[in-house]
């Protein structure tokens, strides 16, 4: 089966620095994916290379089996059937909503252009605002215009470069889910660039975590959270701490909070010093437990408190507890571990 989008060991260089290094990823089918990472990790550079704006020094990019880029050759952006939605939106202020959508359809017959514009206005819920100008719209409405304009020429793939970053958190995640639904209904693949994991979770089926130009893990949000490939992914995705431990048998590891089973196929050996990933939902508040920890910070989150706890050794944990467990700073509470997915890293 021919992959929908494939990047094969690509390098991108801004002399003298190699900003993208040996990145390979594959979208098997038309779907929704995300490149996630901190500022400067190379995710926008990757997106620009897929769009045709950055040449490759090594590797190959293909879409539905057709080559888009290789060293020494780049298919022009306008021939790639790839749409773009940028952070600044780049709407034309002197054009109405309808005319902004029609701008990319200048080669179409007038009747076809009008029909496509009306179809897009209905698709993004702006049919009543066709004659308004961008400055007369809210931020969310402007985002929908930019999306509709990118979809107008019916691309096979839409690239989104942090288009929701100027919106508040709630609207950002809601709009990400809405855009996802529109792409799925239209049968268009989507690839988002983001530094916000919750936006990525709301939008994408597959997520690639990047650091310093390298792709560390290409996986589902569930696996990134529960089975991170390395310490950086474990720290970047979700909240959690690394609790020191020591392997005491081929299938057991000791921690300050007791012993637990090692996951299958772990290459750690007895006496290895390790760090075990402990998420807030792995720590259960249990008044009957003999294990005690001191509350040093707390954050009220409505249905829950997020407690920062200090163990006798000085190590810290995070604990999510129902908000009716309202404890004060300095109080000691009983806890126990309830970890379904043990993730550990050998300590160097």
């Amino acid at each position: 089966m021919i992959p929908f989008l494939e990047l094969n060991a690509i390098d991108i260089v801004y002399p003298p620095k190699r900003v993208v290094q040996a990145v390979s990823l594959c979208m098997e089918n038309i779907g929704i994916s995300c490149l996630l990472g901190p500022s400067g990790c190379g995710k926008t550079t990757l997106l620009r290379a897929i769009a045709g704006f950055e040449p490759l020094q090594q590797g190959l990019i293909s879409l539905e089996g057709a080559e888009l880029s290789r060293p020494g050759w780049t298919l022009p952006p306008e021939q790639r059937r790839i749409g773009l939605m940028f952070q600044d939106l780049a709407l034309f202020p002197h054009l109405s909503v309808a005319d902004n959508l029609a701008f990319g359809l200048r080669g179409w017959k007038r009747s076809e252009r009008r029909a496509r514009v009306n179809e897009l206005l209905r698709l993004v819920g702006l049919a009543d605002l066709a004659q308004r100008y961008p400055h007369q719209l809210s931020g969310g409405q402007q985002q929908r215009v930019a999306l509709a304009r990118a979809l107008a020429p019916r691309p096979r793939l839409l690239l989104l470069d942090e288009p929701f970053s100027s919106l508040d958190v709630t609207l950002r995640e809601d709009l990400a889910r809405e855009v996802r639904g529109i792409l799925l209904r239209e049968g268009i693949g989507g690839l988002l660039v983001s530094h916000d994991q919750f936006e990525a979770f709301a939008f994408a089926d597959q997520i690639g975590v990047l650091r310093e130009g390298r792709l560390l893990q290409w996986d589902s949000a569930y696996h990134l959270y529960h089975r991170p490939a390395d310490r950086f992914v474990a720290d970047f995705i979700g909240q959690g701490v690394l609790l020191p431990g020591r392997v005491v048998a081929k299938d057991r590891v000791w921690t300050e909070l007791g012993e637990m089973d090692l996951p299958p196929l772990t290459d750690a050996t007895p006496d290895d010093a390790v760090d075990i990933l402990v998420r807030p939902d792995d720590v259960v508040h249990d008044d009957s437990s003999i294990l005690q920890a001191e509350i040093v910070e707390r954050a009220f989150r409505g249905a829950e408190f997020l407690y920062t706890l200090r163990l006798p050794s000085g190590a810290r944990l995070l604990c999510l507890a129902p908000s009716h467990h309202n404890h004060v700073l300095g109080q000691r509470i009983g806890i126990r571990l309830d970890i379904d997915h043990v993730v550990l890293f050998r300590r160097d």
Side-chain angles (χ1 to χ4, degrees), residues 259-304:
E259 290 189 10
M260 62 186 72
D261 293 331
L262 284 173
L265 304 179
T266 299
D267 61 358
T269 57
D271 290 331
D272 279 350
V274 296
D275 291 315
I276 297 166
L277 177 62
V278 181
R279 301 288 193 189
D281 47 312
D282 295 329
V283 181
V284 179
H285 175 22
D286 183 352
D287 289 326
S288 65
S289 174
I290 61 173
L291 294 171
Q292 298 282 308
E294 178 188 357
I295 297 173
V296 293
E297 294 179 24
R298 67 176 201 161
F300 183 63
R301 298 192 169 183
E304 298 168 317

Side-chain angles (χ1 to χ4, degrees), residues 153-168:
R154 293 192 172 94
R156 296 297 291 145
L157 173 66
L158 179 65
L159 305 177
L160 304 99
D161 189 4
E162 302 204 48
F164 315 125
S165 60
S166 62
L167 304 176
D168 65 70

Side-chain angles (χ1 to χ4, degrees), residues 15-291:
K17 184 179 181 182
R18 194 172 299 273
V19 295
V20 170
Q21 304 179 56
V23 168
S24 296
L25 62 83
C26 181
M27 292 174 61
E28 294 286 351
N29 304 298
I30 293 180
I32 313 294
S33 299
C34 177
L35 297 173
L36 179 67
S39 297
C41 69
K43 54 189 185 293
T44 293
T45 301
L46 268 177
L47 206 72
R48 288 176 55 82
I50 296 168
F53 299 132
E54 299 291 347
L56 303 185
Q57 278 65 50
Q58 295 291 335
L60 176 70
I61 299 175
S62 60
L63 181 67
E64 296 183 307
E67 289 190 3
L68 300 182
S69 296
R70 62 177 184 268
W73 179 82
T74 302
L75 184 70
E78 65 274 12
Q79 297 179 26
R80 295 187 170 216
R81 295 193 68 192
I82 292 177
L84 297 166
M85 185 175 173
F86 295 108
Q87 183 174 346
D88 62 6
L89 303 184
L91 299 177
F92 297 111
H94 62 289
L95 296 181
S96 68
V97 168
D99 290 339
N100 262 282
L101 302 193
F103 184 82
L105 304 175
R106 285 170 293 177
W108 292 35
K109 294 180 180 179
R110 180 175 298 180
S111 60
E112 293 175 345
R113 186 166 62 243
R114 185 184 306 114
R116 180 60 174 160
V117 167
N118 289 335
E119 178 186 9
L120 290 164
L121 289 170
R122 290 192 298 271
L123 184 68
V124 298
L126 297 176
D128 296 335
L129 305 178
Q131 300 309 311
R132 291 197 183 179
Y133 291 86
H135 72 274
Q136 297 174 311
L137 304 177
S138 68
Q141 290 168 337
Q142 291 178 13
Q143 299 282 342
R144 291 180 176 86
V145 176
L147 170 65
R149 189 179 63 182
L151 297 179
R154 293 192 172 94
R156 296 297 291 145
L157 173 66
L158 179 65
L159 305 177
L160 304 99
D161 189 4
E162 302 204 48
F164 315 125
S165 60
S166 62
L167 304 176
D168 65 70
V169 173
T170 301
L171 182 56
R172 184 186 311 165
E173 293 180 30
D174 288 346
L175 195 55
R177 280 188 286 267
E178 186 176 337
V179 171
R180 170 187 169 83
I182 289 172
L183 292 178
L184 290 175
R185 288 197 297 274
E186 288 284 285
I188 295 172
L191 183 60
L192 171 74
V193 155
S194 180
H195 63 271
D196 184 326
Q197 60 179 295
F198 298 109
E199 180 180 272
F201 291 172
F203 184 80
D205 300 308
Q206 288 180 300
I207 300 170
V209 178
L210 288 138
R211 182 191 187 194
E212 296 179 352
R214 295 185 180 275
L215 182 66
L216 303 181
Q217 189 168 352
W218 176 254
D219 221 325
S220 66
Y222 180 89
H223 285 156
L224 290 174
Y225 186 85
H226 289 293
R227 299 170 188 169
D230 66 9
R231 290 170 182 268
F232 180 84
V233 177
D235 182 62
F236 192 77
I237 299 294
Q239 294 176 297
V241 298
L242 290 170
L243 182 67
R246 183 168 296 277
V247 178
V248 294
K250 65 178 182 179
D251 58 354
R252 298 289 287 173
V253 60
W254 172 91
T255 74
E256 186 177 356
L257 298 178
E259 290 189 10
M260 62 186 72
D261 293 331
L262 284 173
L265 304 179
T266 299
D267 61 358
T269 57
D271 290 331
D272 279 350
V274 296
D275 291 315
I276 297 166
L277 177 62
V278 181
R279 301 288 193 189
D281 47 312
D282 295 329
V283 181
V284 179
H285 175 22
D286 183 352
D287 289 326
S288 65
S289 174
I290 61 173
L291 294 171

